Amino acid sequence: MARSSSGFVAGLTAAAVAAVAFLAYQASANAPADVSAKPRTPASAPSSAATGGPRKPVKDPLAVPADSGRGARVVYALAERRVWLVDAKGQATHTFSVVPSTVHPVPGAYTVTSRSGSVRGSDGVQIEHVVRFTTEQDVSIGFSAAVDGTLPTPDPARKTGGIRMKRADGDAMWTFASIGAKVVVVA
């Protein structure tokens, strides 16, 4: 009788394994293709330890640099080759990319010292809406737009101070940056 009861137990075990396998198959067949697509509740979200630490906020590439001061100002980021026109509340009203000159201003705070509606640039190109704010290496440095609308890379063999922008951006700069306006240059 011992042999028949062990066979009986083996049969029950085999039936139980088969039933569990069948139920697992049905569950997987009815699961969504991407189980991770379901929204996570705070209780099921991975901990910061499991994900390698707290996530850093993603920096908005068009955000005004934090180290650029306060109040109304023109901000020129040398490394980003970008300018922001910032209102008195610290909000950017306009931002745009620029083509830097061969002579760069030293990071710091300046004021607009002179403006010209239309002149010939140090590179020989006819320019408009020139807003100058400093001099480096005996070269006047300022923002300008080529009248022909081009944004060529300056000849590295020439000392130029024109930070070039598109004509529409030049219009915005001309309206915003009058004599005495603050210009902040950041690395």
Side-chain angles (χ1 to χ4, degrees), residues 17-182:
V17 169
V20 169
F22 176 74
L23 292 173
Y25 169 77
Q26 278 196 328
S28 68
N30 292 321
D34 183 7
V35 175
S36 66
K38 75 176 188 173
R40 289 184 167 171
T41 62
S44 68
S47 69
S48 60
T51 60
R55 291 187 180 156
K56 293 181 181 176
V58 177
K59 181 187 177 229
D60 177 0
L62 302 180
V64 178
D67 58 348
S68 66
R70 294 178 182 255
R73 63 201 183 278
V74 174
V75 178
Y76 174 35
L78 296 169
E80 294 181 45
R81 297 180 172 200
R82 178 162 290 281
V83 169
W84 292 262
L85 305 180
V86 182
D87 66 16
K89 295 177 183 175
Q91 299 297 312
T93 60
H94 195 81
T95 184
F96 50 92
S97 59
V98 295
V99 176
S101 56
T102 60
V103 178
H104 307 289
V106 175
Y110 303 89
T111 58
V112 173
T113 56
S114 69
R115 296 170 18 125
S116 297
S118 180
V119 296
R120 187 159 305 279
S122 56
D123 58 359
V125 174
Q126 189 64 33
I127 56 177
E128 65 182 2
H129 298 143
V130 182
V131 176
R132 296 177 203 88
F133 60 92
T134 192
T135 302
E136 294 289 336
Q137 302 175 26
D138 296 323
V139 176
S140 290
I141 297 180
F143 304 103
S144 62
V147 172
D148 66 6
T150 61
L151 286 169
T153 302
D155 178 356
R158 297 182 75 176
K159 289 171 92 175
T160 62
I163 303 159
R164 294 290 163 78
M165 58 196 140
K166 294 178 184 173
R167 290 185 81 187
D169 299 325
D171 292 344
M173 175 69 77
W174 185 255
T175 301
F176 186 86
S178 56
I179 299 291
K182 185 176 183 179

